Amino acid sequence: MGDLPPADRHGPAAQPAEPGLTTGALARRLGVSPTTLRSWDRRYGVGPAARSGGHHRRWTPQDVAMLEEMCRLTSAGVPPAEAARAALEGVDRSPSEHDRPPADHANVTRPRSRAPGALPLGDARKECKGLARAAVRLDAPALDDQLTGLVTRHGLVVAWEEVMVPTLHAVGRKWESSGDRYVEVEHLLSWHISRALHRAIATVVPATPGVGPVLLACVPGEQHSLPLEALDASLTELGLPTRMFGAAVPTEALTAAVRRLGPVAVVLWAQARSTADQPLARHVASTSWGVKGARSRPTVLLGGPGWAGRQVPGTLRPQGLSEALATLASLYDSFAAPGENRPVPVP
């Protein structure tokens, strides 16, 4: 079948569409508000190189590239004025013939930032803001870059406690206050934090001491395993053996794993009060193994806000990653004493 002429295919000839994106379309693409784009244009001169009649903003591919660079830099913690200066210098926005502005705008000179150079990125608040901005934009490459740099500069524990957790909390609050509009942001951020934790220990040789591991498990019904992943990575980095069982471990499976592994400690994570099962914690704490007369039991640590205000005899309740690491390291120190032999678990 031959091609139909434009008039037959589309009806009456339409007026040519104005080139470029509208401000609303660009804002949706970048994950920022239209107000932010207008503010950046007014303050830093990072507006469109050309405007249509009536001063409506139309953003060309060169403008979009400039704004993407602006967003990337601000996500990394660069002050907006300096980010704008770098974005304006780094992108060629020389208009093509059809993009050239009307004659009355041809001689308009856009203001340029005279801000000082970028500040050091050691401030946790700036790190959090940069991470949150990248997450809201759903900018996966920026999230990976920032998280990798964060762990490299500060280490797993500081990165988790001072940046990752506060950013996750901030995104969670945004989700709760906006009618579930930011669910995808929280999911993407969580996924990339998980990737960063795994990358941080990818080259660590697994520990094989002569004592049992730390068993890490979410209680039945609990799906939030990310804090346990942070603990698992941090223990691995310290050279301590772990077994990570992840989300929603059934009671029977948990009990079987404890008997088979003979762990030094068991960490039970509960994010919500509804999943914090006290009878389960008591059951795990009382589970024993080994030959008769020399039986042993694990030390049970209860992690997560779900256990708040709940007392389970015979268990420990560390407050945060640092305290959990210190507690578990001290347990292994006690087993490393000369002459100590760890009972062998029963298969």
Side-chain angles (χ1 to χ4, degrees):
M1 182 182 294
D3 288 340
L4 295 176
D8 294 332
R9 187 164 49 216
H10 300 295
Q15 295 296 320
E18 293 179 339
L21 294 174
T22 65
T23 296
L26 179 59
R28 288 190 295 273
R29 174 168 172 171
L30 297 175
V32 300
S33 70
T35 301
T36 296
L37 293 180
R38 296 185 188 101
S39 175
W40 284 353
D41 182 11
R42 185 174 63 256
R43 294 182 181 181
Y44 311 121
V46 288
R51 298 171 192 266
S52 64
H55 306 287
H56 294 296
R57 292 173 171 83
R58 285 286 175 174
W59 304 81
T60 66
Q62 293 80 13
D63 297 330
V64 173
M66 174 191 64
L67 264 299
E68 287 175 340
E69 177 68 3
M70 174 84 174
C71 288
R72 185 189 70 80
L73 291 170
T74 56
S75 291
V78 177
E82 177 62 18
R85 185 190 65 77
L88 284 164
E89 290 180 349
V91 178
D92 180 12
R93 294 201 300 158
S94 301
S96 60
E97 219 33 62
H98 66 274
D99 287 333
R100 293 190 185 279
D104 57 338
H105 291 283
N107 296 320
V108 173
T109 301
R110 298 210 169 273
R112 303 296 293 273
S113 168
R114 299 181 181 273
L119 297 174
L121 302 183
D123 187 330
R125 182 176 298 178
K126 291 179 182 176
E127 300 269 16
C128 291
K129 287 182 177 179
L131 204 58
R133 286 171 183 150
V136 169
R137 293 202 319 273
L138 304 182
D139 189 339
L143 283 173
D144 273 344
D145 288 346
Q146 291 182 50
L147 288 166
T148 299
L150 179 65
V151 172
T152 300
R153 287 191 300 273
H154 305 298
L156 278 171
V157 176
V158 172
W160 173 258
E161 292 186 330
E162 297 189 16
V163 181
M164 295 179 186
V165 170
T167 305
L168 284 166
H169 286 171
V171 171
R173 288 193 298 270
K174 188 74 172 177
W175 169 22
E176 291 174 356
S177 64
S178 61
D180 290 352
R181 284 180 51 215
Y182 287 86
V183 176
E184 73 282 6
V185 175
E186 186 175 38
H187 279 248
L188 187 72
L189 178 59
S190 297
W191 171 249
H192 282 276
I193 287 177
S194 178
R195 279 167 51 96
L197 295 171
H198 284 271
R199 280 198 306 269
I201 57 171
T203 59
V204 176
V205 178
T208 54
V211 295
V214 178
L215 192 157
L216 306 165
C218 290
V219 297
E222 181 56 71
Q223 298 294 332
H224 294 80
S225 63
L226 192 56
L228 280 187
E229 293 181 41
L231 178 56
D232 177 66
S234 300
L235 288 168
T236 301
E237 192 177 48
L238 289 177
L240 301 182
T242 68
R243 296 294 185 273
M244 173 65 168
F245 287 85
V249 182
T251 299
E252 297 80 6
L254 183 58
T255 301
V258 170
R259 290 187 181 279
R260 290 178 61 188
L261 292 170
V264 168
V266 176
V267 181
L268 299 176
W269 183 268
Q271 184 75 17
R273 289 181 63 84
S274 60
T275 61
D277 190 335
Q278 292 173 290
L280 171 63
R282 288 194 295 268
H283 172 68
V284 172
S286 66
T287 300
S288 61
W289 60 86
V291 296
K292 189 174 182 179
R295 287 188 171 277
S296 185
R297 296 176 180 175
T299 298
V300 175
L301 282 67
L302 305 179
W307 299 106
R310 299 190 174 190
Q311 300 297 324
V312 180
T315 66
L316 303 176
R317 176 88 167 87
Q319 301 300 309
L321 179 59
S322 294
E323 187 176 332
L325 282 175
T327 300
L328 293 168
S330 68
L331 290 174
Y332 276 92
D333 287 343
S334 68
F335 283 111
E340 282 285 351
N341 292 312
R342 180 69 171 165
V344 178
V346 176

